[in-house]
PDB file of all heavy atoms in Angstrom:
ATOM      1  N   PHE A 204      10.730  -1.676  -8.195  1.00 53.00           N
ATOM      2  CA  PHE A 204       9.807  -1.069  -9.152  1.00 53.00           C
ATOM      3  C   PHE A 204       8.477  -0.723  -8.505  1.00 53.00           C
ATOM      4  O   PHE A 204       7.761   0.164  -8.978  1.00 53.00           O
ATOM      5  CB  PHE A 204       9.582  -2.007 -10.346  1.00 53.00           C
ATOM      6  CG  PHE A 204      10.709  -2.025 -11.327  1.00 53.00           C
ATOM      7  CD1 PHE A 204      11.559  -3.116 -11.400  1.00 53.00           C
ATOM      8  CD2 PHE A 204      10.943  -0.949 -12.166  1.00 53.00           C
ATOM      9  CE1 PHE A 204      12.611  -3.138 -12.302  1.00 53.00           C
ATOM     10  CE2 PHE A 204      11.996  -0.955 -13.069  1.00 53.00           C
ATOM     11  CZ  PHE A 204      12.830  -2.060 -13.141  1.00 53.00           C
ATOM     12  N   SER A 205       8.127  -1.417  -7.427  1.00 50.00           N
ATOM     13  CA  SER A 205       6.860  -1.142  -6.760  1.00 50.00           C
ATOM     14  C   SER A 205       7.014  -0.165  -5.599  1.00 50.00           C
ATOM     15  O   SER A 205       6.107   0.012  -4.795  1.00 50.00           O
ATOM     16  CB  SER A 205       6.223  -2.448  -6.257  1.00 50.00           C
ATOM     17  OG  SER A 205       7.000  -3.013  -5.227  1.00 50.00           O
ATOM     18  N   GLY A 206       8.186   0.474  -5.503  1.00 53.00           N
ATOM     19  CA  GLY A 206       8.342   1.542  -4.526  1.00 53.00           C
ATOM     20  C   GLY A 206       8.988   1.143  -3.223  1.00 53.00           C
ATOM     21  O   GLY A 206       9.124   1.972  -2.322  1.00 53.00           O
ATOM     22  N   GLU A 207       9.396  -0.126  -3.079  1.00 56.00           N
ATOM     23  CA  GLU A 207      10.042  -0.567  -1.851  1.00 56.00           C
ATOM     24  C   GLU A 207      11.543  -0.707  -2.074  1.00 56.00           C
ATOM     25  O   GLU A 207      12.053  -0.510  -3.170  1.00 56.00           O
ATOM     26  CB  GLU A 207       9.432  -1.896  -1.381  1.00 56.00           C
ATOM     27  CG  GLU A 207       7.934  -1.869  -1.190  1.00 56.00           C
ATOM     28  CD  GLU A 207       7.481  -0.920  -0.091  1.00 56.00           C
ATOM     29  OE1 GLU A 207       8.314  -0.521   0.740  1.00 56.00           O
ATOM     30  OE2 GLU A 207       6.299  -0.572  -0.072  1.00 56.00           O
ATOM     31  N   SER A 208      12.270  -1.063  -1.030  1.00 60.00           N
ATOM     32  CA  SER A 208      13.717  -1.196  -1.131  1.00 60.00           C
ATOM     33  C   SER A 208      14.094  -2.584  -1.651  1.00 60.00           C
ATOM     34  O   SER A 208      13.320  -3.542  -1.561  1.00 60.00           O
ATOM     35  CB  SER A 208      14.364  -0.958   0.236  1.00 60.00           C
ATOM     36  OG  SER A 208      13.836  -1.849   1.200  1.00 60.00           O
ATOM     37  N   LEU A 209      15.302  -2.680  -2.220  1.00 62.00           N
ATOM     38  CA  LEU A 209      15.806  -3.959  -2.709  1.00 62.00           C
ATOM     39  C   LEU A 209      15.938  -4.966  -1.566  1.00 62.00           C
ATOM     40  O   LEU A 209      15.584  -6.133  -1.702  1.00 62.00           O
ATOM     41  CB  LEU A 209      17.167  -3.744  -3.385  1.00 62.00           C
ATOM     42  CG  LEU A 209      17.949  -4.997  -3.800  1.00 62.00           C
ATOM     43  CD1 LEU A 209      17.177  -5.794  -4.849  1.00 62.00           C
ATOM     44  CD2 LEU A 209      19.331  -4.606  -4.329  1.00 62.00           C
ATOM     45  N   PHE A 210      16.424  -4.497  -0.430  1.00 77.00           N
ATOM     46  CA  PHE A 210      16.624  -5.366   0.723  1.00 77.00           C
ATOM     47  C   PHE A 210      15.503  -5.169   1.747  1.00 77.00           C
ATOM     48  O   PHE A 210      15.010  -4.065   1.935  1.00 77.00           O
ATOM     49  CB  PHE A 210      17.978  -5.079   1.375  1.00 77.00           C
ATOM     50  CG  PHE A 210      19.148  -5.441   0.504  1.00 77.00           C
ATOM     51  CD1 PHE A 210      19.763  -4.470  -0.277  1.00 77.00           C
ATOM     52  CD2 PHE A 210      19.624  -6.737   0.465  1.00 77.00           C
ATOM     53  CE1 PHE A 210      20.837  -4.793  -1.092  1.00 77.00           C
ATOM     54  CE2 PHE A 210      20.701  -7.066  -0.345  1.00 77.00           C
ATOM     55  CZ  PHE A 210      21.310  -6.099  -1.122  1.00 77.00           C
ATOM     56  N   MET A 211      15.131  -6.264   2.377  1.00 87.00           N
ATOM     57  CA  MET A 211      14.140  -6.227   3.436  1.00 87.00           C
ATOM     58  C   MET A 211      14.799  -6.689   4.736  1.00 87.00           C
ATOM     59  O   MET A 211      15.692  -7.532   4.725  1.00 87.00           O
ATOM     60  CB  MET A 211      12.952  -7.141   3.108  1.00 87.00           C
ATOM     61  CG  MET A 211      12.277  -6.849   1.777  1.00 87.00           C
ATOM     62  SD  MET A 211      11.438  -5.246   1.722  1.00 87.00           S
ATOM     63  CE  MET A 211       9.858  -5.691   2.455  1.00 87.00           C
ATOM     64  N   ALA A 212      14.374  -6.101   5.841  1.00 92.00           N
ATOM     65  CA  ALA A 212      14.912  -6.456   7.154  1.00 92.00           C
ATOM     66  C   ALA A 212      13.895  -7.305   7.901  1.00 92.00           C
ATOM     67  O   ALA A 212      12.727  -6.931   8.016  1.00 92.00           O
ATOM     68  CB  ALA A 212      15.246  -5.199   7.951  1.00 92.00           C
ATOM     69  N   THR A 213      14.328  -8.463   8.397  1.00 94.00           N
ATOM     70  CA  THR A 213      13.476  -9.365   9.170  1.00 94.00           C
ATOM     71  C   THR A 213      13.937  -9.355  10.628  1.00 94.00           C
ATOM     72  O   THR A 213      15.134  -9.465  10.912  1.00 94.00           O
ATOM     73  CB  THR A 213      13.549 -10.801   8.619  1.00 94.00           C
ATOM     74  OG1 THR A 213      13.113 -10.805   7.255  1.00 94.00           O
ATOM     75  CG2 THR A 213      12.666 -11.733   9.432  1.00 94.00           C
ATOM     76  N   TYR A 214      12.969  -9.211  11.533  1.00 96.00           N
ATOM     77  CA  TYR A 214      13.264  -9.139  12.969  1.00 96.00           C
ATOM     78  C   TYR A 214      12.633 -10.346  13.649  1.00 96.00           C
ATOM     79  O   TYR A 214      11.417 -10.537  13.586  1.00 96.00           O
ATOM     80  CB  TYR A 214      12.718  -7.839  13.549  1.00 96.00           C
ATOM     81  CG  TYR A 214      13.375  -6.611  12.952  1.00 96.00           C
ATOM     82  CD1 TYR A 214      12.874  -6.023  11.800  1.00 96.00           C
ATOM     83  CD2 TYR A 214      14.506  -6.055  13.544  1.00 96.00           C
ATOM     84  CE1 TYR A 214      13.489  -4.907  11.239  1.00 96.00           C
ATOM     85  CE2 TYR A 214      15.127  -4.941  12.996  1.00 96.00           C
ATOM     86  CZ  TYR A 214      14.613  -4.374  11.848  1.00 96.00           C
ATOM     87  OH  TYR A 214      15.229  -3.272  11.294  1.00 96.00           O
ATOM     88  N   LYS A 215      13.466 -11.148  14.290  1.00 97.00           N
ATOM     89  CA  LYS A 215      13.031 -12.406  14.894  1.00 97.00           C
ATOM     90  C   LYS A 215      13.158 -12.332  16.413  1.00 97.00           C
ATOM     91  O   LYS A 215      14.209 -11.964  16.949  1.00 97.00           O
ATOM     92  CB  LYS A 215      13.880 -13.563  14.359  1.00 97.00           C
ATOM     93  CG  LYS A 215      13.464 -14.934  14.859  1.00 97.00           C
ATOM     94  CD  LYS A 215      14.308 -16.004  14.179  1.00 97.00           C
ATOM     95  CE  LYS A 215      13.891 -17.399  14.614  1.00 97.00           C
ATOM     96  NZ  LYS A 215      14.702 -18.442  13.918  1.00 97.00           N
ATOM     97  N   ALA A 216      12.081 -12.678  17.099  1.00 97.00           N
ATOM     98  CA  ALA A 216      12.078 -12.649  18.564  1.00 97.00           C
ATOM     99  C   ALA A 216      12.938 -13.773  19.117  1.00 97.00           C
ATOM    100  O   ALA A 216      12.828 -14.924  18.692  1.00 97.00           O
ATOM    101  CB  ALA A 216      10.649 -12.783  19.077  1.00 97.00           C
ATOM    102  N   GLN A 217      13.777 -13.411  20.075  1.00 97.00           N
ATOM    103  CA  GLN A 217      14.601 -14.393  20.765  1.00 97.00           C
ATOM    104  C   GLN A 217      14.005 -14.777  22.120  1.00 97.00           C
ATOM    105  O   GLN A 217      14.428 -15.762  22.730  1.00 97.00           O
ATOM    106  CB  GLN A 217      16.011 -13.832  20.969  1.00 97.00           C
ATOM    107  CG  GLN A 217      16.724 -13.442  19.682  1.00 97.00           C
ATOM    108  CD  GLN A 217      16.944 -14.632  18.768  1.00 97.00           C
ATOM    109  OE1 GLN A 217      17.576 -15.616  19.142  1.00 97.00           O
ATOM    110  NE2 GLN A 217      16.395 -14.557  17.553  1.00 97.00           N
TER     111      GLN A 217
END
Side-chain angles (χ1 to χ4, degrees):
F204 283 107
S205 67
E207 304 296 343
S208 57
L209 172 63
F210 294 96
M211 304 293 275
T213 300
Y214 297 88
K215 183 176 182 179
Q217 301 298 302

